[in-house]
Amino acid sequence: MIHILQCAARTLDLSAPVVMGVLNVTPDSFSDGGRFTERDAALRQVQKMLADGAAIIDVGGESTRPGAAVVSAQQELDRVIPVVEQISARFDTIISLDTSTPEVMRAGAAAGAGLINDVRALGRDGAVQAAKDVGLPVCLMHMQGRPSTMQSAPSYQHVVDEVLAFLVERIDACVDAGIAREALLIDPGFGFGKTDQHNLALLAQLENFAALGLPVLAGLSRKSMIGRLLDRPVEDRLIGSVALALMAIERGAKVLRVHDVKETMDAVRLWQAMQPFMERKE
Ligand code: 7PM
């Protein structure tokens, strides 16, 4: 399978796995009222993630954490657009816009974003049209429920089949609206309305997602399933995160969304070094 995505002016080659670094931005670090040191810290974090080998920087303005408050479109614009502008002006990288909001997709694309990462799989009114209009690749993620309540009682008959069926339906909706199938990525959405058992089943069966023929993104970094399975607080989930990331690329994931770029890249590079000696090649 050849996956080359055109992300605005840049090309993303997914013939080998790549790392997407998560940018932590405090809500006002880029606004006019934000402290210079906060903005500076965020830009230094971008610089470090790029030096460590990240191919993509993921920027989000709406917290999707369980129980998170809803953010207005204007608040999201105020938070995200200055960040995208700054990164775009200073660094040669692909900026992923973590948003479900059509206005943010349009403004973010104009500000220099190269990819849309939507945890609602373009489910909001006008989102499919906005994504089509801006012409950027889109990552479609599965979520059961809404961020505020999704972890209260996740329930599936057959989690893998249901998540696959959802993603197929969203792929079809995008293609029907005129978005090229080749511009789509898919993501089972680890932690988004899933128990640990659901997450483990999805990871174990990740090859079924890769079999759809679209690049698979896996976001496992520091997630609470690692905390529960290993009894580790969030600041002690690095080894667990890298272990799960490696299991994901072994099962065909092409983009790893992570907080710890350097350590994940070490695992990716060792996996890559081994590939010429594998019987079955990617
Ligand atoms: C609980 C759930 C806590 C999610 C924290 C998070 C993903 C994402 C996020 C993902 C894609 C976090 C997240 N996770 N986008 N955004 N895939 N495509 O760890 O798994 O930051 S938010």
Side-chain angles (χ1 to χ4, degrees):
M1 200 79 59
I2 307 179
H3 295 305
I4 295 178
L5 295 177
Q6 196 56 46
C7 300
R10 292 179 181 82
T11 298
L12 180 63
D13 180 358
L14 297 180
S15 53
V18 301
V19 164
M20 167 189 276
V22 180
L23 178 63
N24 307 307
V25 277
T26 57
D28 59 359
S29 55
F30 283 78
S31 73
D32 288 341
R35 286 165 40 234
F36 171 74
T37 52
E38 287 173 354
R39 191 180 94 171
D40 212 47
L43 291 172
R44 274 203 311 276
Q45 194 197 341
V46 171
Q47 186 154 48
K48 177 166 191 328
M49 291 196 291
L50 294 176
D52 288 344
I56 308 166
I57 301 295
D58 192 44
V59 175
E62 179 216 18
S63 178
T64 42
R65 269 151 229 287
V70 178
V71 172
S72 76
Q74 190 57 53
Q75 276 176 307
E76 207 193 325
L77 283 168
D78 292 345
R79 289 179 186 185
V80 166
I81 302 308
V83 189
V84 174
E85 284 172 348
Q86 287 286 332
I87 298 171
S88 181
R90 291 171 142 85
F91 302 101
D92 178 18
T93 189
I94 295 169
I95 302 167
S96 159
L97 202 56
D98 192 341
T99 191
S100 302
T101 311
E103 299 95 301
V104 177
M105 294 175 191
R106 294 181 195 279
L115 181 78
I116 294 167
N117 173 25
D118 185 2
V119 300
R120 293 176 186 79
L122 303 181
R124 279 195 179 155
D125 285 348
V128 171
Q129 188 61 43
K132 181 198 153 33
D133 290 347
V134 301
L136 298 179
V138 182
C139 179
L140 303 170
M141 197 198 79
H142 173 272
M143 166 165 51
Q144 183 179 81
R146 292 170 288 115
S148 54
T149 55
M150 63 188 179
Q151 288 307 105
S152 63
S155 165
Y156 301 84
Q157 295 279 333
H158 296 287
V159 63
V160 174
D161 292 352
E162 287 174 49
V163 174
L164 273 170
F166 170 85
L167 291 173
V168 167
E169 186 268 319
R170 296 313 298 153
I171 293 164
D172 290 347
C174 289
V175 171
D176 288 349
I179 298 175
R181 190 181 155 88
E182 294 69 32
L184 300 173
L185 303 90
I186 52 173
D187 179 349
F190 294 106
F192 285 85
K194 281 124 190 153
T195 64
D196 295 347
Q197 283 64 38
H198 296 141
N199 290 319
L200 292 168
L202 289 165
L203 180 56
Q205 305 301 322
L206 205 64
E207 279 171 317
N208 290 275
F209 293 83
L212 292 182
L214 300 179
V216 172
L217 185 151
L220 293 151
S221 182
R222 299 185 187 173
K223 284 196 175 167
S224 52
M225 69 175 291
I226 300 169
R228 286 185 294 266
L229 292 166
L230 301 179
D231 190 20
R232 298 276 189 250
V234 67
E235 64 275 12
D236 199 13
R237 296 179 189 166
L238 172 60
I239 310 295
S241 297
V242 174
L244 293 184
L246 191 53
M247 293 185 220
I249 60 172
E250 189 65 21
R251 289 159 181 77
K254 288 290 187 278
V255 183
L256 301 170
R257 181 184 181 276
V258 309
H259 300 86
D260 304 288
V261 173
K262 180 170 183 271
E263 294 83 354
T264 309
M265 278 301 298
D266 277 358
V268 170
R269 288 164 60 198
L270 292 172
W271 179 89
Q272 194 64 46
M274 188 179 70
Q275 294 316 296
F277 305 98
M278 294 291 289
E279 285 290 322
R280 190 172 50 79
K281 292 231 192 118
E282 291 299 305

